[in-house]
Amino acid sequence: MHRTVLDFDDLLERARALVRDHDPMRRALGTRYRHIFVDEFQDTDPIQSEILFLIAAEEADTADAQR
C-alpha cells in the first residue's frame, strides 16, 4: 500500500500558495480575522511571515514581507 502524506512544510507551502495565488481567499481571510496575534515572531520562518503579511495586506502586491 502506498500512502501520500503531507508534512508540516508541505502544508505551509500549500497555505502560502492558497493566499498568494487566490485573491478572493486572501481577502476573505483578511476580512474574517481583523487581528492576528503572533507569539514569538522572531521564530517565524519566511513562509509563515509571507502568509501573515498576505492575509494582513489590503492588496496582495503590497504584502512583500521582505520590505
Side-chain angles (χ1 to χ4, degrees), residues 3-47:
R3 288 188 169 169
T4 303
V5 295
L6 299 174
D7 65 14
F8 184 72
D9 291 329
D10 296 328
L11 294 173
L12 277 176
E13 289 181 19
R14 287 176 184 236
R16 175 181 57 182
L18 183 64
V19 296
R20 182 189 58 209
D21 301 337
H22 302 282
D23 200 53
M25 177 58 71
R26 183 191 65 75
R27 288 179 180 273
L29 289 169
T31 301
R32 182 174 184 177
Y33 299 103
R34 295 185 59 196
H35 304 283
I36 301 172
F37 176 77
V38 181
D39 189 27
E40 305 281 339
F41 185 78
Q42 72 275 7
D43 294 333
T44 59
D45 66 34
I47 294 175

